[in-house]
Amino acid sequence: FGRMKPVIVVHGGAGRIFKEREEGSRAGVVRAALQGYGILKQGGSALDAVEEAVRSMEDDPHFNAGCGSVLNEKGEVEMDAIIVDGKNLDSGAVSAVKCIANPIKLARLVMEKTKHVLLTDHGAHLFAQAMGIPETPGEKLITERSRDRWKKNLEPDSSPEEFQKDLGTVGAVAIDSEGNVACATSTGGLSNKLIGRVGDTACIGSGGYADNHSGATSTTGHGESIMKVVLARLVLYHMEQGMSPEMAADTALDYMKTRVGGLGGVIVVSNSGEWAARFSTKQMSWATVKDDQLHYGIYAGERHTKSVDEALTSESEGF
């Protein structure tokens, strides 16, 4: 194999993670990171690893992506996803898709099977059918929690912004043994959003970006703010100027906060295999594997470390 030691970093969303959901969020990002790392260890591509990690979190109802996505004003799930290959900047994205279990898989197909980068709504639906992706009834993606949240937000004196803090976009970045980087991000968006609202996740350079010349990043947080500063690309720009991943992430998040008052989080891997997971919100669930060591946390300054073997053992026994 090539010279690089593979690294994967995942996030399960920045915001406020309610106490009763902490365990599930931690377990979910750890599981996703281990699954992505498994692919990298066997010499698999960064692209496959980030897709697999994100698919794992889409299937986990703890996260606002795939099953467990929040509902729009009409009580429906509309999801966005993106994937970028750092080797040649190939990108695929979908927005406002319904009735699909894994939007990230559809984004990958847009990248590989069309001349386009982004398909939306009805067109994305037709493309999914053409690709033979099975339809998942909308109700299957809706959890009791999402429906309760939606109802609460409909009450006249409610402020959906209060609930927005528990966002839970999911994402992954990786570098493989060949030195290629990739990113993937997927989300159900904002609770009670307007029909047809598209956030940062489907937008190249905002929800994610990957370029072998610098690294890869995936973002989470207030989508409109992220779009205004093109957060993912901004982080990589700072790295191109010579900053470490951590410094670049903090600088970009700080700019977003002071310039547009937006909070969020980013995960980063550089083309030399350095990584960072940083956030300006109260919390962000994240996990990373490098050198067969798993690190993960939710709160600022929190960092647990286990060997991958130990983690896989406890994984099979359930957390």
Side-chain angles (χ1 to χ4, degrees), residues 67-216:
C67 175
S69 288
V70 298
L71 310 186
N72 67 12
E73 55 177 359
K74 250 180 73 182
E76 300 170 333
V77 165
E78 285 187 319
M79 302 166 290
D80 304 334
I82 192 169
I83 191 163
V84 184
D85 182 350
K87 199 186 327 187
N88 44 18
L89 306 191
D90 276 351
S91 313
V94 291
S95 73
V97 298
K98 304 182 181 82
C99 304
I100 281 179
N102 297 111
I104 199 64
K105 287 187 174 171
L106 192 58
R108 174 97 186 242
L109 287 169
V110 170
M111 174 174 92
E112 292 182 342
K113 307 285 186 198
T114 77
K115 293 190 177 73
H116 307 308
V117 160
L118 171 60
L119 290 183
T120 192
D121 200 354
H122 184 58
H125 179 72
L126 292 175
F127 175 66
Q129 281 179 326
M131 289 288 118
I133 288 189
E135 224 174 279
T136 304
E139 303 75 69
K140 275 258 169 65
L141 299 173
I142 297 176
T143 58
E144 203 177 320
R145 176 166 179 266
S146 295
R147 197 178 289 289
D148 290 349
R149 151 95 43 108
W150 174 70
K151 283 195 186 125
K152 267 207 186 87
N153 286 345
L154 288 179
E155 291 164 11
D157 56 350
S158 88
S159 94
E161 286 67 48
E162 243 325 281
F163 288 101
Q164 280 334 345
K165 299 196 175 106
D166 185 23
L167 288 169
T169 296
V170 305
V173 295
I175 186 165
D176 58 32
S177 55
E178 307 283 300
N180 294 312
V181 299
C183 74
T185 313
S186 180
T187 191
L190 290 179
S191 193
N192 296 60
K193 62 191 177 179
L194 293 181
I195 291 167
R197 177 264 190 187
V198 177
D200 66 293
T201 300
C203 303
I204 293 189
S206 294
Y209 201 74
D211 184 344
N212 282 6
H213 293 161
S214 46

Side-chain angles (χ1 to χ4, degrees), residues 15 40 44 52 57 61 74 93 100 112 138-139 142 168 179 188 193 230 233 252 266 271 284 299 304:
L40 296 171
E52 179 54 31
M57 291 184 285
K74 250 180 73 182
I100 281 179
E112 292 182 342
E139 303 75 69
I142 297 176
K193 62 191 177 179
V230 197
R233 189 66 190 84
V266 292
N271 60 1
M284 179 179 80
Y299 292 95
H304 306 282

